[in-house]
Amino acid sequence: MRTIYCGQLSAAQVGQSVTLSGWVHRRRDLGGLIFIDMRDREGLVQVFFDPDKAEAYAKASELRAEFCIQITGQVRARPESQVNKDMATGEVEIFAHELVIINKAAPLPLDFNQNNTEEQRLKFRYLDLRRPEMARFLKTRAQVTSRVRRFMDEQGFLDIETPMLTKATPEGARDYLVPSRVHKGHFYALPQSPQLFKQLLMMSGFDRYYQIVKCFRDEDLRADRQPEFTQIDVETSFMTAEEVRAVMEQLIRELWLDVVGDDLGTFPIMSHEEAMRRYGSDKPDLRIPMELTDIADLVREVDFQVFSGPANDAKGRVAALKVPGGAALSRKQIDEYGKFVSIYGAKGLAWLKVNEAAKGLEGVQSPVAKFLSEDIVAELLARTGAVDGDAIFFGADSAKVVSDAMGALRLKLGKELGLLENGWKPLWVIDFPMFEEDEDRLYAMHHPFTAAKDVSVAELEAAPLGAVANAYDMVINGYEVGGGSVRIHNNEMQQTVFRLLGINEDEQREKFGFLLDALKYGTPPHAGLAFGLDRLVMLLTGTDNIRDVIAFPKTTTASCLLTDAPSLATAESLAELAISTKLPSAEQ
């Protein structure tokens, strides 16, 4: 039904007869001539109808936006004065000889010339996806997956599928459960990741595995998170963490070159400790030229408990954030930033404006200035590099609250004050803590199958909070795009980690018996990584909403406005599954 796509036409086809199929993007009736922009997945081209072709011209008068049509006509060069440089096909137009109206379109629930609400766009997603911008997003996604497969095949990786219906295992979020009709009262879990299966594949001798795979997590959503998402999942045997990172960095560099033409260069490597100290985040956005500066040693003796308390607490932190040009901020703006950091547990936001740095204490303005000495102010300005016109914000609380609050404030200030630098800033963050503690209980920082770095079983049991995980995250412009680790390949070490996480032997056998058994039979050392495909495409297309790069995404309440999922099950379906609910069934 077509000989070429609309968006592929160029001066090379001038004089040729072509057949196009697509949609009416817009229509203009100029009295003597009727013009339309015709659209398909590859783009737009201008088509005109002349009264000389009476039948086609008469039909063209019926056309409206989103009519599905087929036209046959001659490609003509547009006069130089009429060339549209904003359109890829702007050098040519089609003189239509024949027009077939395949299907008319009812009045549209979306306005392609205005901004529609996201709810409208998701409800009528099949119309929203017709927009050229959305087509570009999905075409880029297809280009990325194709390039990934090509790269992985060239590197000797095997594409192997793993099960969707599996067993619930603790990986940091709630599972989506699927009831079994055959085994009444039993449930499958949809995989949060193929983690254990890909480790089993390493034990099976498939030393380079990859899969572009759906994963499922029942967790609170945000702009860059979905309940079902796609991973580029990778696992290797007999490769060190450094070797895995090198191959995966090469993949991402080639993707960026292919898709956007940018060379990311060699990725810097930063420890987790350094990232938290300098940026208050384990996924720092290096495009923002601001860093946190620790000043606990300066304020331990001040007569201001807000500062001196955390400064003298082993688990506390006092940090300063220099804001270039921040002295121009109004008191109202500063109060708003104070409210913002309270979201992260901060009890307030102390500040200092630098009016004349050369005058020391006399040259600064701050509600806390009366608690600071001349020497403290001089060292504070020197340490932060603050100059006239800058401001300094202070965080003083537990180390976690200060890092979370000041790290988030750094991002907010960087974006709102126009401090965000252009370009790409990738890095690797490594050497995460093996565990984190909450209410005297240990939790795995990554997941319970991550190996500790250079530590024996006895040493790990003696000092688990001091252990460093052999884990690594890839971060680009403040987004964690991928993460992985060296895995535990020793049965005793795996059981020890489970035990430290409060998983007793009976629970270990119940949940992970198959893994513990497999670890007894010559398990090779192995390591892997998983990229968030949706997040990579989001960055490559320049959007800030992950839903834009997913054909049929869910809302932030994990619902599909297009299909009205999830929905109630019928009483018959529930009875087959031996399930009763407190809510009414669809039949009631």
Side-chain angles (χ1 to χ4, degrees):
M1 293 182 70
R2 64 158 61 97
T3 58
I4 192 170
Y5 284 103
C6 297
Q8 293 176 344
L9 287 162
S10 69
Q13 285 84 36
V14 168
Q16 295 180 13
S17 177
V18 295
T19 299
L20 307 176
S21 297
W23 289 266
V24 176
H25 190 66
R26 65 174 62 90
R27 173 182 176 276
R28 304 179 300 284
D29 191 336
L30 303 185
L33 296 174
I34 295 174
F35 288 87
I36 66 167
D37 287 340
M38 187 172 176
R39 185 192 70 244
D40 57 27
R41 76 173 205 192
E42 296 300 319
L44 305 171
V45 69
Q46 179 171 283
V47 179
F48 73 91
F49 299 85
D50 188 289
D52 287 346
K53 300 293 182 181
E55 186 178 350
Y57 184 82
K59 287 183 180 179
S61 64
E62 302 176 34
L63 296 179
R64 296 293 182 271
E66 297 310 306
F67 275 31
C68 183
I69 63 173
Q70 180 192 56
I71 71 106
T72 298
Q74 185 182 54
V75 182
R76 291 189 174 183
R78 294 169 73 166
E80 191 170 338
S81 61
Q82 296 177 20
V83 169
N84 186 344
K85 295 181 180 178
D86 296 326
M87 185 183 289
T89 60
E91 291 184 317
V92 298
E93 59 188 357
I94 310 299
F95 175 25
H97 298 166
E98 299 175 24
L99 167 63
V100 177
I101 298 176
I102 298 172
N103 256 317
K104 295 183 178 182
L108 298 174
L110 297 181
D111 185 343
F112 282 21
N113 297 315
Q114 296 183 18
N115 290 325
N116 301 284
T117 67
E118 189 167 39
E119 288 74 16
Q120 287 175 298
R121 291 176 55 206
L122 293 178
K123 184 173 180 61
F124 300 99
R125 189 63 164 182
Y126 46 87
L127 294 178
D128 186 49
L129 290 176
R130 291 183 188 176
R131 293 190 299 121
E133 181 182 34
M134 298 303 294
R136 178 176 68 85
F137 291 158
L138 293 192
K139 285 168 63 181
T140 300
R141 185 185 180 107
Q143 180 185 358
V144 168
T145 57
S146 176
R147 186 67 189 88
V148 167
R149 291 189 188 282
R150 199 157 64 247
F151 177 90
M152 299 304 284
D153 292 344
E154 290 167 356
Q155 294 291 326
F157 286 82
L158 300 177
D159 182 356
I160 305 176
E161 292 183 350
T162 53
M164 285 289 108
L165 297 176
T166 183
K167 188 173 184 175
T169 56
E171 290 195 41
R174 290 178 293 274
D175 289 307
Y176 278 102
L177 300 178
V178 180
S180 169
R181 177 186 59 81
V182 177
H183 305 283
K184 297 191 187 305
H186 292 69
F187 293 81
Y188 300 101
L190 297 179
Q192 294 186 34
S193 80
Q195 181 61 48
L196 296 184
F197 286 107
K198 65 182 182 180
Q199 289 190 240
L200 291 172
L201 286 170
M202 296 304 103
M203 301 171 197
S204 303
F206 299 98
D207 61 309
R208 291 196 175 197
Y209 142 96
Y210 86 99
Q211 185 181 186
I212 298 178
V213 60
K214 280 287 187 184
C215 302
F216 307 86
R217 294 187 182 183
D218 185 5
E219 57 188 346
D220 296 333
L221 306 184
R222 60 189 184 208
D224 65 335
R225 184 181 282 171
Q226 282 279 292
E228 53 178 319
F229 57 96
T230 307
Q231 277 189 184
I232 303 168
D233 203 49
V234 180
E235 196 77 5
T236 70
S237 298
F238 307 110
M239 288 180 70
T240 64
E242 293 76 15
E243 289 170 331
V244 171
R245 292 204 305 268
V247 174
M248 295 298 98
E249 182 175 320
Q250 182 184 348
L251 167 62
I252 297 304
R253 286 187 64 179
E254 290 190 14
L255 268 184
W256 252 253
L257 277 170
D258 283 356
V259 177
V260 293
D262 291 336
D263 186 349
L264 297 180
T266 301
F267 294 12
I269 299 173
M270 184 179 297
S271 71
H272 176 269
E273 183 278 328
E274 182 183 357
M276 297 303 294
R277 173 171 50 81
R278 294 173 60 187
Y279 304 106
S281 172
D282 58 6
K283 48 181 185 295
D285 191 338
L286 302 184
R287 296 174 301 166
I288 299 172
M290 293 192 291
E291 295 188 17
L292 302 183
T293 302
D294 285 307
I295 60 164
D297 59 311
L298 297 181
V299 295
R300 285 198 179 100
E301 307 300 326
V302 299
D303 189 21
F304 185 46
Q305 185 63 25
V306 171
F307 281 2
S308 60
N312 287 285
D313 185 344
K315 295 184 177 181
R317 184 180 186 189
V318 185
L321 177 67
K322 182 195 78 171
V323 183
L329 292 169
S330 68
R331 183 58 187 268
K332 181 181 178 182
Q333 288 174 300
I334 292 174
D335 288 344
E336 287 299 315
Y337 288 127
K339 292 177 185 176
F340 173 75
V341 296
S342 69
I343 298 170
Y344 301 89
K347 302 178 184 67
L349 183 64
W351 55 273
L352 179 148
K353 293 184 178 181
V354 183
N355 298 325
E356 293 185 65
K359 291 185 177 181
L361 182 58
E362 186 182 337
V364 301
Q365 173 190 354
S366 170
V368 301
K370 59 187 175 182
F371 301 109
L372 307 178
S373 68
E374 194 74 53
D375 289 344
I376 290 175
V377 169
E379 180 60 23
L380 176 65
L381 297 182
R383 201 175 287 188
T384 60
V387 297
D388 294 356
D390 292 345
I392 298 173
F393 286 126
F394 300 94
D397 210 300
S398 68
K400 176 173 173 47
V401 168
V402 170
S403 295
D404 289 350
M406 299 303 284
L409 180 63
R410 172 182 172 271
L411 290 177
K412 186 175 179 65
L413 286 165
K415 292 171 183 176
E416 293 185 353
L417 300 183
L419 301 175
L420 205 64
E421 297 173 350
N422 293 325
W424 302 103
K425 293 288 186 178
L427 77 153
W428 287 103
V429 178
I430 67 170
D431 292 349
F432 289 77
M434 184 78 171
F435 302 104
E436 50 189 345
E437 188 177 27
D438 186 21
E439 297 181 353
D440 298 324
R441 183 180 169 186
L442 295 182
Y443 295 87
M445 190 75 159
H446 269 63
H447 54 60
F449 317 107
T450 299
K453 215 172 188 181
D454 303 323
V455 66
S456 67
V457 169
E459 290 169 334
L460 183 65
E461 285 200 283
L465 286 174
V468 173
N470 200 350
Y472 34 84
D473 282 355
M474 182 187 288
V475 179
I476 300 178
N477 289 5
Y479 289 97
E480 178 198 329
V481 297
S485 65
V486 172
R487 322 303 189 186
I488 297 169
H489 65 281
N490 173 274
N491 183 288
E492 184 184 3
M493 178 64 81
Q494 186 63 78
Q495 288 181 293
T496 299
V497 170
F498 284 154
R499 194 162 54 248
L500 289 169
L501 294 172
I503 304 173
N504 61 39
E505 287 190 20
D506 289 340
E507 194 177 358
Q508 288 180 35
R509 289 306 311 173
E510 178 191 349
K511 293 183 176 179
F512 306 106
F514 64 94
L515 174 69
L516 294 173
D517 287 343
L519 285 168
K520 298 175 183 176
Y521 301 109
T523 299
H526 53 287
L529 180 143
F531 289 110
L533 174 64
D534 312 298
R535 202 169 290 179
L536 286 172
V537 179
M538 183 182 77
L539 284 172
L540 285 165
T541 55
T543 181
D544 59 0
N545 189 332
I546 207 165
R547 290 186 286 277
D548 285 342
V549 300
I550 300 172
F552 299 103
K554 304 292 190 294
T555 67
T556 52
T557 59
S559 60
C560 175
L561 299 182
L562 174 65
T563 62
D564 287 330
S567 57
L568 292 171
T570 64
E572 181 183 15
S573 296
L574 292 174
E576 274 194 311
L577 296 167
I579 291 175
S580 64
T581 72
K582 293 182 180 180
L583 297 173
S585 71
E587 294 176 344
Q588 294 176 310

